[in-house]
Amino acid sequence: MSRHLGLDVGGTNLKWAVIERDTEPRLLKTGILATETRAGERSVVRQLLDVARDVFADTEGIESVGVGMPGVLDPSAGVTRFIPNIPGVWDGVRVAGEMADAVGSPSHLINDARAFTLAEHGMGAGRGATSMLGVTLGTGVGGGLILNRHLFFGHEGTAGEFGHQTILPDGPRCNCGNHGCLEALARADAIAEACGQPGVEEAIAAARAGDARALRGFHDCGRYLGIGASNIVVLVGVERIVIGGGIAAAGELLLRPIREELQRRVRVTDVTRVKVACGELGIWAGAIGAALHASNN
Ligand SMILES: [Zn+2]
């Protein structure tokens, strides 16, 4: 039996989770607080280290720490590169090294969508799947790939960037610089705009009330997501697709067009056997996945 701490840092909240691993992993405790961004990256890192020290003081036997963050990271060096959604200058911040020094235990950095994927595969909607695509829908569109029951990292840890595949060759500009990325077509504000609503919550409410434009918006954005998912199914043959993040609350409004698009486009495998589901771990998936990542290293 071993215990591991995972922290999930976003622009709004910092969540943490302690897991216990025997044969099956199990969630021991969790916590959430507002991310301290007033002094940019220094205040975020200071808060991360403080939270970890507090959890270590209250919990016996924690062996390692995982930190999940959105954006571009160098996971093998434990250093951040580019994090557009948390205030601060993030290029070259030694998050894993500072954490290891602070708590005296091995520490690892992981992209938050990869952490989501690990968590849902290990303890959520992806349990038992040999291969799985994880998709996070929120401010951006993230992803992760499980192949042969393991998270696939690829060259420099960049595998699984589901949201930055090109869907429309001359589509809208993406935050990454490319045009027509899936993220530019299906992130939160793109969905809200397609639905003619100020935000995603309003868009979901409008669609559920039968608003024709909102229904059309979810159908169109779900279709783009389904095209992206079809490409992944054709390329690597995943047997399960798990959707998480804030917009996953839309449920069938998005899952239905994704399934329809898979059936329309995938010809190389029996796509009725590819299960598309929402995540089961809610807001804790990122922290749980960061802890699982630490426990795997
Ligand atoms: Zn992009």
Side-chain angles (χ1 to χ4, degrees):
M1 202 270 293
S2 62
R3 287 178 175 173
H4 309 271
L5 167 64
L7 300 120
D8 176 21
V9 196
T12 309
N13 290 315
L14 192 171
K15 285 155 266 179
W16 60 265
V18 178
I19 62 160
E20 209 166 68
R21 269 200 110 148
D22 202 338
T23 43
E24 292 292 313
R26 142 183 121 80
L27 183 59
L28 201 61
K29 51 171 127 171
T30 57
I32 181 169
L33 52 170
T35 308
E36 178 51 72
T37 58
R38 261 174 292 184
E41 77 284 358
R42 286 322 312 166
S43 59
V44 176
V45 173
R46 198 179 312 125
Q47 184 187 33
L48 256 182
L49 304 182
D50 285 346
V51 168
R53 282 192 204 97
D54 287 349
V55 177
F56 266 70
D58 289 346
T59 316
E60 273 183 33
I62 297 176
E63 294 176 16
S64 66
V65 183
V67 180
M69 301 189 81
V72 182
L73 316 167
D74 183 341
S76 57
V79 168
T80 55
R81 286 294 165 222
F82 176 64
I83 303 182
N85 297 327
I86 306 179
V89 181
W90 287 99
D91 190 18
V93 179
R94 290 178 53 250
V95 174
E98 291 198 39
M99 179 62 74
D101 292 343
V103 298
S105 296
S107 300
H108 306 274
L109 192 59
I110 184 170
N111 169 278
D112 61 350
R114 253 71 91 195
F116 163 84
T117 303
L118 260 182
E120 289 293 343
H121 181 252
M123 296 171 66
R127 274 191 318 275
T130 306
S131 57
M132 177 192 129
L133 167 68
V135 177
T136 57
L137 300 176
T139 316
V141 175
L145 263 182
I146 299 283
L147 299 177
N148 295 330
R149 300 184 192 281
H150 293 283
L151 185 66
F152 182 69
F153 285 94
H155 180 61
E156 295 182 339
T158 55
E161 284 295 348
F162 181 68
H164 296 292
Q165 57 176 312
T166 302
I167 299 291
L168 290 180
D170 302 306
R173 189 182 152 89
C174 180
N175 290 329
C176 75
N178 182 31
H179 284 263
C181 283
L182 182 55
E183 175 166 304
L185 301 164
R187 62 173 186 251
D189 57 358
I191 292 180
E193 196 187 327
C195 292
Q197 297 291 329
V200 165
E201 276 175 41
E202 292 89 343
I204 294 172
R208 292 206 170 126
D211 180 87
R213 181 161 175 201
L215 286 168
R216 181 95 229 148
F218 274 106
H219 178 269
D220 291 348
C221 294
R223 187 165 175 244
Y224 290 133
L225 288 164
I227 293 172
S230 299
N231 293 339
I232 306 303
V233 169
V234 167
L235 186 64
V236 292
V238 291
E239 64 177 89
R240 210 167 301 177
I241 299 172
V242 180
I243 316 268
I247 310 171
E252 287 299 317
L253 286 169
L254 281 175
L255 297 191
R256 196 177 309 119
I258 291 173
R259 288 193 198 103
E260 285 170 3
E261 211 56 34
L262 283 165
Q263 280 178 15
R264 185 170 299 131
R265 296 189 187 271
V266 177
R267 291 282 174 271
V268 297
T269 181
D270 178 7
V271 85
T272 57
R273 290 163 66 183
V274 178
K275 192 177 162 202
V276 184
C278 284
E280 293 175 358
L281 302 174
I283 64 165
W284 305 113
I288 291 170
L292 285 170
H293 177 57
S295 76
N296 289 337
N297 281 277

